[in-house]
Amino acid sequence: MSSVKFLAFADLHHYPEVFYTFAPERLAAIRQRAIDEKVDFVISLGDFGGGKPLDLLAEYAAFPMKTYHVFGNHDTDNMTLTEAIKAFDMPGKGYYFFDCNGFRFIILDNNYVNIDGSILHFELGNYFPHPNTREILPAEQVDFLKETVGASPYPCILFSHSSIERECDQTPGRPFRSAIINRQEIIDVINQANSRSPGKVRMAINGHYHRDFLRILDQVVFLDLNSASMEWVNNPHDHFDRELTAKHTYAANTVIYNEPLCAVITLDHDGTLQIDGMKGSFYKNVTREMTDNPPCDRSGRPCTANIQSVKMKMFYR
Ligand SMILES: [Fe+2]
């Protein structure tokens, strides 16, 4: 087998009565696309839900192909880490790897916060008061990454909820500054592996920011994967019906995608990389620009209801 094909989605945010994401319908459409595209597996890039989304987790686990999770920051907001590991059926502590069709997929868990010198996993909202010391890849995971890439006979793809390529804005109190604080350590592992063996780490995919952005750095393709459901806006708007916002606590703090945005990604050993994205639209035509919020995030990336489609060939030499 020289190629692998998988479906990736992020930030489904199934949280009944809090968000209006009609997530069960979205997940059913994602399932159907995965079947139609005959993918080898499906992966959720985190923030699958809020509360305790046990019913939908069971639906996901029952897909007719293998399914995987990456932990997002909100996945342990209403569960302990131990409960979440069980509910999500996470191998080990939440970081792990698997091999498929001659590629290695490495799942990282960057949901850690430094509180008074202790590095703690996000749990029951403990990270909320610490916006400037959150999103860390603990040393044991940096070592795990180094060893797992180093021992791999295959090209590697990384998954994390937060971005490895976004710059980390340290300005206190800024929303969405939460790139991984020690991202440079991860980039060093990637670049050292690629300098020894070009094409060893080929791609890294993240969710979390609800943005569609593609960047190539040192021959690694970084995909900032859009949310499958919606975008958060700090300042609420009044464009939705009152009935809807009365029933859903934070609906007015969102603009919502009509489509279940997801990407089918095909990688070939010869360096070909194809992303089949989706063009979508906004619920009630309400866009972020119509709300009282800056149009772009701290990295200057706009909110669109799209995932771009791309076919490229990388030459590793
Ligand atoms: Fe997130």
Side-chain angles (χ1 to χ4, degrees), residues 93 95 108-110 112 119-120 136-147 180 182 185-186 189:
K93 293 181 188 172
Y95 60 92
L108 300 173
D109 179 1
N110 61 256
Y112 285 82
I119 310 293
L120 305 174
I136 297 168
L137 198 75
E140 75 171 28
Q141 277 192 68
V142 176
D143 291 345
F144 158 79
L145 176 64
K146 200 171 184 176
E147 284 161 19
I180 299 172
N182 59 329
E185 291 178 48
I186 306 171
V189 171

PDB file of all heavy atoms in Angstrom, residues 93 95 108-110 112 119-120 136-147 180 182 185-186 189:
ATOM      1  N   LYS A  93      -2.658   7.639  28.165  1.00  0.00           N
ATOM      2  CA  LYS A  93      -3.087   8.844  28.868  1.00  0.00           C
ATOM      3  C   LYS A  93      -3.743   9.854  27.937  1.00  0.00           C
ATOM      4  O   LYS A  93      -4.062  10.958  28.347  1.00  0.00           O
ATOM      5  CB  LYS A  93      -1.868   9.509  29.499  1.00  0.00           C
ATOM      6  CG  LYS A  93      -1.226   8.729  30.616  1.00  0.00           C
ATOM      7  CD  LYS A  93      -0.038   9.556  31.129  1.00  0.00           C
ATOM      8  CE  LYS A  93       0.778   8.776  32.118  1.00  0.00           C
ATOM      9  NZ  LYS A  93       2.020   9.498  32.456  1.00  0.00           N
ATOM     10  N   TYR A  95      -2.203  10.405  24.727  1.00  0.00           N
ATOM     11  CA  TYR A  95      -1.294  10.549  23.584  1.00  0.00           C
ATOM     12  C   TYR A  95      -0.827   9.152  23.183  1.00  0.00           C
ATOM     13  O   TYR A  95      -0.635   8.288  24.044  1.00  0.00           O
ATOM     14  CB  TYR A  95      -0.122  11.485  23.895  1.00  0.00           C
ATOM     15  CG  TYR A  95       0.764  11.072  25.040  1.00  0.00           C
ATOM     16  CD1 TYR A  95       1.903  10.296  24.810  1.00  0.00           C
ATOM     17  CD2 TYR A  95       0.485  11.469  26.337  1.00  0.00           C
ATOM     18  CE1 TYR A  95       2.728   9.915  25.859  1.00  0.00           C
ATOM     19  CE2 TYR A  95       1.299  11.084  27.390  1.00  0.00           C
ATOM     20  CZ  TYR A  95       2.418  10.310  27.145  1.00  0.00           C
ATOM     21  OH  TYR A  95       3.216   9.928  28.192  1.00  0.00           O
ATOM     22  N   LEU A 108      -0.943  13.870  19.845  1.00  0.00           N
ATOM     23  CA  LEU A 108      -0.386  14.566  21.003  1.00  0.00           C
ATOM     24  C   LEU A 108      -1.513  15.161  21.838  1.00  0.00           C
ATOM     25  O   LEU A 108      -2.587  15.467  21.317  1.00  0.00           O
ATOM     26  CB  LEU A 108       0.574  15.667  20.542  1.00  0.00           C
ATOM     27  CG  LEU A 108       1.763  15.176  19.710  1.00  0.00           C
ATOM     28  CD1 LEU A 108       2.554  16.361  19.157  1.00  0.00           C
ATOM     29  CD2 LEU A 108       2.670  14.256  20.533  1.00  0.00           C
ATOM     30  N   ASP A 109      -1.234  15.374  23.106  1.00  0.00           N
ATOM     31  CA  ASP A 109      -2.208  15.993  24.018  1.00  0.00           C
ATOM     32  C   ASP A 109      -1.540  17.212  24.650  1.00  0.00           C
ATOM     33  O   ASP A 109      -0.750  17.085  25.583  1.00  0.00           O
ATOM     34  CB  ASP A 109      -2.626  14.977  25.088  1.00  0.00           C
ATOM     35  CG  ASP A 109      -3.622  15.560  26.084  1.00  0.00           C
ATOM     36  OD1 ASP A 109      -3.993  16.745  25.938  1.00  0.00           O
ATOM     37  OD2 ASP A 109      -4.017  14.829  27.016  1.00  0.00           O
ATOM     38  N   ASN A 110      -1.858  18.385  24.106  1.00  0.00           N
ATOM     39  CA  ASN A 110      -1.211  19.618  24.587  1.00  0.00           C
ATOM     40  C   ASN A 110      -2.058  20.359  25.632  1.00  0.00           C
ATOM     41  O   ASN A 110      -1.798  21.524  25.931  1.00  0.00           O
ATOM     42  CB  ASN A 110      -0.904  20.557  23.417  1.00  0.00           C
ATOM     43  CG  ASN A 110      -2.138  20.994  22.664  1.00  0.00           C
ATOM     44  OD1 ASN A 110      -2.412  20.491  21.563  1.00  0.00           O
ATOM     45  ND2 ASN A 110      -2.919  21.916  23.204  1.00  0.00           N
ATOM     46  N   TYR A 112      -2.363  21.030  28.729  1.00  0.00           N
ATOM     47  CA  TYR A 112      -1.744  21.145  30.052  1.00  0.00           C
ATOM     48  C   TYR A 112      -1.527  22.617  30.379  1.00  0.00           C
ATOM     49  O   TYR A 112      -1.313  23.447  29.486  1.00  0.00           O
ATOM     50  CB  TYR A 112      -0.401  20.410  30.081  1.00  0.00           C
ATOM     51  CG  TYR A 112      -0.555  18.906  30.128  1.00  0.00           C
ATOM     52  CD1 TYR A 112      -0.786  18.179  28.961  1.00  0.00           C
ATOM     53  CD2 TYR A 112      -0.493  18.214  31.333  1.00  0.00           C
ATOM     54  CE1 TYR A 112      -0.953  16.796  28.991  1.00  0.00           C
ATOM     55  CE2 TYR A 112      -0.652  16.831  31.372  1.00  0.00           C
ATOM     56  CZ  TYR A 112      -0.879  16.130  30.199  1.00  0.00           C
ATOM     57  OH  TYR A 112      -1.044  14.771  30.245  1.00  0.00           O
ATOM     58  N   ILE A 119       2.739  21.292  36.310  1.00  0.00           N
ATOM     59  CA  ILE A 119       2.165  21.109  34.972  1.00  0.00           C
ATOM     60  C   ILE A 119       0.990  20.140  35.117  1.00  0.00           C
ATOM     61  O   ILE A 119       1.184  18.955  35.381  1.00  0.00           O
ATOM     62  CB  ILE A 119       3.210  20.537  33.988  1.00  0.00           C
ATOM     63  CG1 ILE A 119       4.513  21.344  34.026  1.00  0.00           C
ATOM     64  CG2 ILE A 119       2.632  20.477  32.571  1.00  0.00           C
ATOM     65  CD1 ILE A 119       4.411  22.749  33.511  1.00  0.00           C
ATOM     66  N   LEU A 120      -0.222  20.662  34.945  1.00  0.00           N
ATOM     67  CA  LEU A 120      -1.434  19.866  35.186  1.00  0.00           C
ATOM     68  C   LEU A 120      -2.256  19.735  33.917  1.00  0.00           C
ATOM     69  O   LEU A 120      -2.341  20.691  33.121  1.00  0.00           O
ATOM     70  CB  LEU A 120      -2.299  20.546  36.258  1.00  0.00           C
ATOM     71  CG  LEU A 120      -1.629  20.844  37.597  1.00  0.00           C
ATOM     72  CD1 LEU A 120      -2.567  21.647  38.488  1.00  0.00           C
ATOM     73  CD2 LEU A 120      -1.226  19.540  38.276  1.00  0.00           C
ATOM     74  N   ILE A 136       0.559  23.428  26.822  1.00  0.00           N
ATOM     75  CA  ILE A 136       1.951  22.980  26.991  1.00  0.00           C
ATOM     76  C   ILE A 136       2.030  21.521  26.556  1.00  0.00           C
ATOM     77  O   ILE A 136       1.111  20.738  26.839  1.00  0.00           O
ATOM     78  CB  ILE A 136       2.375  23.069  28.481  1.00  0.00           C
ATOM     79  CG1 ILE A 136       2.345  24.535  28.958  1.00  0.00           C
ATOM     80  CG2 ILE A 136       3.754  22.462  28.713  1.00  0.00           C
ATOM     81  CD1 ILE A 136       2.465  24.684  30.474  1.00  0.00           C
ATOM     82  N   LEU A 137       3.103  21.160  25.885  1.00  0.00           N
ATOM     83  CA  LEU A 137       3.360  19.738  25.672  1.00  0.00           C
ATOM     84  C   LEU A 137       4.399  19.325  26.714  1.00  0.00           C
ATOM     85  O   LEU A 137       5.557  19.736  26.629  1.00  0.00           O
ATOM     86  CB  LEU A 137       3.874  19.474  24.252  1.00  0.00           C
ATOM     87  CG  LEU A 137       3.740  18.013  23.848  1.00  0.00           C
ATOM     88  CD1 LEU A 137       2.287  17.660  23.539  1.00  0.00           C
ATOM     89  CD2 LEU A 137       4.628  17.658  22.669  1.00  0.00           C
ATOM     90  N   PRO A 138       3.972  18.543  27.723  1.00  0.00           N
ATOM     91  CA  PRO A 138       4.904  18.191  28.810  1.00  0.00           C
ATOM     92  C   PRO A 138       6.146  17.454  28.284  1.00  0.00           C
ATOM     93  O   PRO A 138       6.101  16.816  27.223  1.00  0.00           O
ATOM     94  CB  PRO A 138       4.070  17.279  29.711  1.00  0.00           C
ATOM     95  CG  PRO A 138       2.650  17.610  29.395  1.00  0.00           C
ATOM     96  CD  PRO A 138       2.645  17.968  27.936  1.00  0.00           C
ATOM     97  N   ALA A 139       7.223  17.537  29.062  1.00  0.00           N
ATOM     98  CA  ALA A 139       8.509  16.948  28.644  1.00  0.00           C
ATOM     99  C   ALA A 139       8.363  15.478  28.271  1.00  0.00           C
ATOM    100  O   ALA A 139       8.973  15.014  27.301  1.00  0.00           O
ATOM    101  CB  ALA A 139       9.530  17.127  29.765  1.00  0.00           C
ATOM    102  N   GLU A 140       7.512  14.743  29.007  1.00  0.00           N
ATOM    103  CA  GLU A 140       7.403  13.300  28.697  1.00  0.00           C
ATOM    104  C   GLU A 140       6.801  13.083  27.310  1.00  0.00           C
ATOM    105  O   GLU A 140       7.115  12.113  26.634  1.00  0.00           O
ATOM    106  CB  GLU A 140       6.635  12.542  29.783  1.00  0.00           C
ATOM    107  CG  GLU A 140       5.141  12.748  29.795  1.00  0.00           C
ATOM    108  CD  GLU A 140       4.432  11.792  30.762  1.00  0.00           C
ATOM    109  OE1 GLU A 140       5.018  11.356  31.747  1.00  0.00           O
ATOM    110  OE2 GLU A 140       3.250  11.507  30.504  1.00  0.00           O
ATOM    111  N   GLN A 141       5.964  14.025  26.874  1.00  0.00           N
ATOM    112  CA  GLN A 141       5.417  13.885  25.513  1.00  0.00           C
ATOM    113  C   GLN A 141       6.400  14.342  24.439  1.00  0.00           C
ATOM    114  O   GLN A 141       6.390  13.825  23.331  1.00  0.00           O
ATOM    115  CB  GLN A 141       4.112  14.659  25.376  1.00  0.00           C
ATOM    116  CG  GLN A 141       2.909  13.892  25.879  1.00  0.00           C
ATOM    117  CD  GLN A 141       1.626  14.561  25.462  1.00  0.00           C
ATOM    118  OE1 GLN A 141       1.271  14.616  24.294  1.00  0.00           O
ATOM    119  NE2 GLN A 141       0.910  15.081  26.438  1.00  0.00           N
ATOM    120  N   VAL A 142       7.235  15.310  24.767  1.00  0.00           N
ATOM    121  CA  VAL A 142       8.280  15.701  23.809  1.00  0.00           C
ATOM    122  C   VAL A 142       9.206  14.503  23.595  1.00  0.00           C
ATOM    123  O   VAL A 142       9.578  14.174  22.457  1.00  0.00           O
ATOM    124  CB  VAL A 142       9.056  16.946  24.296  1.00  0.00           C
ATOM    125  CG1 VAL A 142      10.192  17.278  23.326  1.00  0.00           C
ATOM    126  CG2 VAL A 142       8.115  18.147  24.454  1.00  0.00           C
ATOM    127  N   ASP A 143       9.551  13.819  24.704  1.00  0.00           N
ATOM    128  CA  ASP A 143      10.388  12.607  24.600  1.00  0.00           C
ATOM    129  C   ASP A 143       9.672  11.513  23.825  1.00  0.00           C
ATOM    130  O   ASP A 143      10.269  10.840  22.969  1.00  0.00           O
ATOM    131  CB  ASP A 143      10.734  12.075  26.002  1.00  0.00           C
ATOM    132  CG  ASP A 143      11.676  13.004  26.748  1.00  0.00           C
ATOM    133  OD1 ASP A 143      12.280  13.888  26.112  1.00  0.00           O
ATOM    134  OD2 ASP A 143      11.782  12.865  27.995  1.00  0.00           O
ATOM    135  N   PHE A 144       8.363  11.354  24.118  1.00  0.00           N
ATOM    136  CA  PHE A 144       7.565  10.346  23.407  1.00  0.00           C
ATOM    137  C   PHE A 144       7.567  10.632  21.894  1.00  0.00           C
ATOM    138  O   PHE A 144       7.729   9.726  21.071  1.00  0.00           O
ATOM    139  CB  PHE A 144       6.138  10.359  23.961  1.00  0.00           C
ATOM    140  CG  PHE A 144       5.077   9.805  23.048  1.00  0.00           C
ATOM    141  CD1 PHE A 144       4.901   8.431  22.909  1.00  0.00           C
ATOM    142  CD2 PHE A 144       4.250  10.660  22.301  1.00  0.00           C
ATOM    143  CE1 PHE A 144       3.917   7.922  22.056  1.00  0.00           C
ATOM    144  CE2 PHE A 144       3.284  10.153  21.454  1.00  0.00           C
ATOM    145  CZ  PHE A 144       3.113   8.787  21.328  1.00  0.00           C
ATOM    146  N   LEU A 145       7.400  11.900  21.551  1.00  0.00           N
ATOM    147  CA  LEU A 145       7.389  12.276  20.134  1.00  0.00           C
ATOM    148  C   LEU A 145       8.725  11.950  19.475  1.00  0.00           C
ATOM    149  O   LEU A 145       8.767  11.354  18.387  1.00  0.00           O
ATOM    150  CB  LEU A 145       7.073  13.774  20.016  1.00  0.00           C
ATOM    151  CG  LEU A 145       7.118  14.356  18.606  1.00  0.00           C
ATOM    152  CD1 LEU A 145       6.049  13.726  17.714  1.00  0.00           C
ATOM    153  CD2 LEU A 145       6.935  15.880  18.638  1.00  0.00           C
ATOM    154  N   LYS A 146       9.796  12.327  20.163  1.00  0.00           N
ATOM    155  CA  LYS A 146      11.139  12.104  19.614  1.00  0.00           C
ATOM    156  C   LYS A 146      11.386  10.604  19.386  1.00  0.00           C
ATOM    157  O   LYS A 146      11.854  10.188  18.323  1.00  0.00           O
ATOM    158  CB  LYS A 146      12.165  12.660  20.609  1.00  0.00           C
ATOM    159  CG  LYS A 146      13.503  12.932  20.035  1.00  0.00           C
ATOM    160  CD  LYS A 146      14.318  13.679  21.089  1.00  0.00           C
ATOM    161  CE  LYS A 146      15.662  14.067  20.526  1.00  0.00           C
ATOM    162  NZ  LYS A 146      16.431  14.866  21.466  1.00  0.00           N
ATOM    163  N   GLU A 147      11.016   9.808  20.398  1.00  0.00           N
ATOM    164  CA  GLU A 147      11.245   8.357  20.303  1.00  0.00           C
ATOM    165  C   GLU A 147      10.350   7.725  19.242  1.00  0.00           C
ATOM    166  O   GLU A 147      10.775   6.856  18.491  1.00  0.00           O
ATOM    167  CB  GLU A 147      10.953   7.690  21.658  1.00  0.00           C
ATOM    168  CG  GLU A 147      12.052   7.926  22.676  1.00  0.00           C
ATOM    169  CD  GLU A 147      11.590   7.694  24.112  1.00  0.00           C
ATOM    170  OE1 GLU A 147      10.553   7.010  24.313  1.00  0.00           O
ATOM    171  OE2 GLU A 147      12.255   8.226  25.034  1.00  0.00           O
ATOM    172  N   ILE A 180       0.811  26.381  21.261  1.00  0.00           N
ATOM    173  CA  ILE A 180       1.525  25.587  22.275  1.00  0.00           C
ATOM    174  C   ILE A 180       2.755  26.385  22.729  1.00  0.00           C
ATOM    175  O   ILE A 180       3.582  26.787  21.909  1.00  0.00           O
ATOM    176  CB  ILE A 180       1.910  24.217  21.691  1.00  0.00           C
ATOM    177  CG1 ILE A 180       0.634  23.463  21.285  1.00  0.00           C
ATOM    178  CG2 ILE A 180       2.721  23.414  22.703  1.00  0.00           C
ATOM    179  CD1 ILE A 180       0.874  22.181  20.518  1.00  0.00           C
ATOM    180  N   ASN A 182       5.507  25.732  24.303  1.00  0.00           N
ATOM    181  CA  ASN A 182       6.838  25.203  23.981  1.00  0.00           C
ATOM    182  C   ASN A 182       6.874  24.586  22.587  1.00  0.00           C
ATOM    183  O   ASN A 182       7.524  23.579  22.348  1.00  0.00           O
ATOM    184  CB  ASN A 182       7.294  24.194  25.035  1.00  0.00           C
ATOM    185  CG  ASN A 182       6.351  23.008  25.181  1.00  0.00           C
ATOM    186  OD1 ASN A 182       5.145  23.141  24.982  1.00  0.00           O
ATOM    187  ND2 ASN A 182       6.883  21.859  25.526  1.00  0.00           N
ATOM    188  N   GLU A 185      10.140  23.377  20.863  1.00  0.00           N
ATOM    189  CA  GLU A 185      10.718  22.059  21.161  1.00  0.00           C
ATOM    190  C   GLU A 185      10.177  21.004  20.189  1.00  0.00           C
ATOM    191  O   GLU A 185      10.891  20.090  19.792  1.00  0.00           O
ATOM    192  CB  GLU A 185      10.376  21.637  22.604  1.00  0.00           C
ATOM    193  CG  GLU A 185      11.065  22.455  23.669  1.00  0.00           C
ATOM    194  CD  GLU A 185      10.633  22.010  25.066  1.00  0.00           C
ATOM    195  OE1 GLU A 185      10.636  20.800  25.347  1.00  0.00           O
ATOM    196  OE2 GLU A 185      10.265  22.892  25.867  1.00  0.00           O
ATOM    197  N   ILE A 186       8.913  21.156  19.836  1.00  0.00           N
ATOM    198  CA  ILE A 186       8.302  20.207  18.893  1.00  0.00           C
ATOM    199  C   ILE A 186       8.890  20.418  17.499  1.00  0.00           C
ATOM    200  O   ILE A 186       9.240  19.458  16.799  1.00  0.00           O
ATOM    201  CB  ILE A 186       6.767  20.389  18.857  1.00  0.00           C
ATOM    202  CG1 ILE A 186       6.189  20.298  20.276  1.00  0.00           C
ATOM    203  CG2 ILE A 186       6.126  19.360  17.932  1.00  0.00           C
ATOM    204  CD1 ILE A 186       4.716  20.680  20.365  1.00  0.00           C
ATOM    205  N   VAL A 189      12.231  18.841  17.222  1.00  0.00           N
ATOM    206  CA  VAL A 189      12.160  17.380  17.018  1.00  0.00           C
ATOM    207  C   VAL A 189      11.859  17.081  15.549  1.00  0.00           C
ATOM    208  O   VAL A 189      12.500  16.223  14.917  1.00  0.00           O
ATOM    209  CB  VAL A 189      11.075  16.738  17.927  1.00  0.00           C
ATOM    210  CG1 VAL A 189      10.843  15.278  17.549  1.00  0.00           C
ATOM    211  CG2 VAL A 189      11.455  16.861  19.395  1.00  0.00           C
TER     212      VAL A 189
END
